[in-house]
Amino acid sequence: MTAETQKPEVVLRYFAWLRERTGFSEERIRLPEGIETVSDVLRWQTTRGHPFDVAFAKPDPIRVALDRTHAKTSASIANAREIAFFPPVTGG
Amino acid sequence: MSVRVGEADFDVSAELAAVAGKDHGVGGVAIFVGKVRDHAGGEKLTSMTLEHYPGMTEAELERIETEAQSRFKLSGSRIVHRVGTLAPGDNIVLVIATSPHRKDAFDATEFLMDYLKTRAPFWKKESLANGSTRWVEAHENDALAAAAWTTPSAD
């Protein structure tokens, strides 16, 4: 892979029980080719092995924000610099 | 209009004075204070820890506040949300809405809380008297309450 075609690094961030189950608050990573949407990245997480496979085993309750904005599963991650994963919010 | 997120407690009188103290066009003020209960799901609670997503939280609260301004006739508003470890009886959240007439203030306060509970990236973790901890799960009712604001009302 040449530098021109290599995907840029993105920051992945994890909150609440996703932070606890993955053991990461954040990581800097180059996503593999073919990961285009939020649902792609959720599926990819289950293929990474322990502890991500367990943390992301049930993607349904997991919410995603792209560059600090709530995103639907169909949203494109092409321009995102920061992808955050978290359970439904419970503040207030 | 302002939002603030931090560990420090808030003083309701001081916050109210900052929002409405000099505005004599204000006819009504609605204030909501959320507090930590000493029980949860029938069990005794010793503390509650609030985590959030710095940067996104403030941006989301500002979006929610801007949305409230477009829906209601408001003179001013304020949202203060605490993070970190809190004890039963401690304040968690303060929402103030001021308006020329009371209905807008009441409605805006409720709207701000309903949206905050479903959009603002905060997560609560309960510590129980038996030594265990658990993350609070989102309530279906909170989602329904927020969704109700998107349904056109009959009046």
Side-chain angles (χ1 to χ4, degrees):
Chain A
M1 186 182 284
T2 67
E4 284 74 26
T5 60
Q6 198 171 36
K7 286 198 166 196
E9 277 192 340
V10 291
V11 176
L12 304 185
R13 301 188 69 175
Y14 305 89
F15 292 93
W17 55 255
L18 272 158
R19 175 177 49 73
E20 291 179 342
R21 289 182 196 174
T22 61
F24 286 92
S25 8
E26 65 175 77
E27 54 179 334
R28 194 170 285 275
I29 205 162
R30 284 185 207 282
L31 294 170
E33 293 297 324
I35 309 293
E36 309 290 345
T37 65
V38 166
S39 68
D40 289 345
V41 80
L42 284 169
R43 200 175 310 115
W44 167 76
Q45 287 280 21
T46 68
T47 68
R48 298 178 69 193
H50 188 76
F52 296 94
D53 53 350
V54 175
F56 284 83
K58 289 181 182 168
D60 190 43
I62 298 174
R63 302 289 180 263
V64 176
L66 301 177
D67 294 328
R68 304 178 181 187
T69 302
H70 293 287
K72 294 180 176 169
T73 50
S74 58
S76 167
I77 61 160
N79 298 313
R81 311 297 302 145
E82 184 172 297
I83 305 174
F85 304 90
F86 45 78
V89 306
T90 56
Chain B
M1 310 287 167
S2 64
V3 306
R4 192 169 77 242
V5 180
E7 294 194 3
D9 196 8
F10 47 78
D11 179 325
V12 175
S13 298
E15 301 293 343
L16 174 58
V19 179
K22 290 174 184 162
D23 184 351
H24 294 167
V26 170
V29 177
I31 298 174
F32 175 82
V33 177
K35 295 173 77 71
V36 181
R37 278 186 294 266
D38 65 358
H39 62 279
E43 295 180 80
K44 190 164 170 51
L45 186 146
T46 53
S47 68
M48 169 95 81
T49 300
L50 278 131
E51 178 175 338
H52 80 123
Y53 185 171
M56 180 172 173
T57 312
E58 292 82 354
E60 200 60 44
L61 290 178
E62 282 167 10
R63 276 196 282 269
I64 293 165
E65 200 179 36
T66 300
E67 177 71 23
Q69 287 169 42
S70 74
R71 284 170 174 255
F72 308 102
K73 289 193 176 69
L74 297 182
S75 311
S77 63
R78 178 156 292 202
I79 305 171
V80 182
H81 206 299
R82 297 181 70 191
V83 291
T85 299
L86 304 173
D90 283 353
N91 297 323
I92 302 178
V93 61
L94 169 69
V95 168
I96 300 177
T98 69
S99 61
H101 302 285
R102 68 186 159 100
K103 191 170 189 323
D104 283 299
F106 274 129
D107 288 351
T109 306
E110 198 157 16
F111 170 85
L112 286 165
M113 279 305 304
D114 284 344
Y115 264 55
L116 182 155
K117 287 186 83 75
T118 52
R119 304 285 300 173
F122 293 101
W123 302 276
K124 287 173 176 163
K125 189 176 195 181
E126 296 168 337
S127 295
L128 303 173
N130 65 15
S132 67
T133 61
R134 64 188 180 198
W135 290 99
V136 175
E137 285 190 33
H139 295 291
E140 172 92 356
N141 285 346
D142 291 337
L144 292 174
W149 289 101
T150 62
T151 309
S153 62
D155 47 276

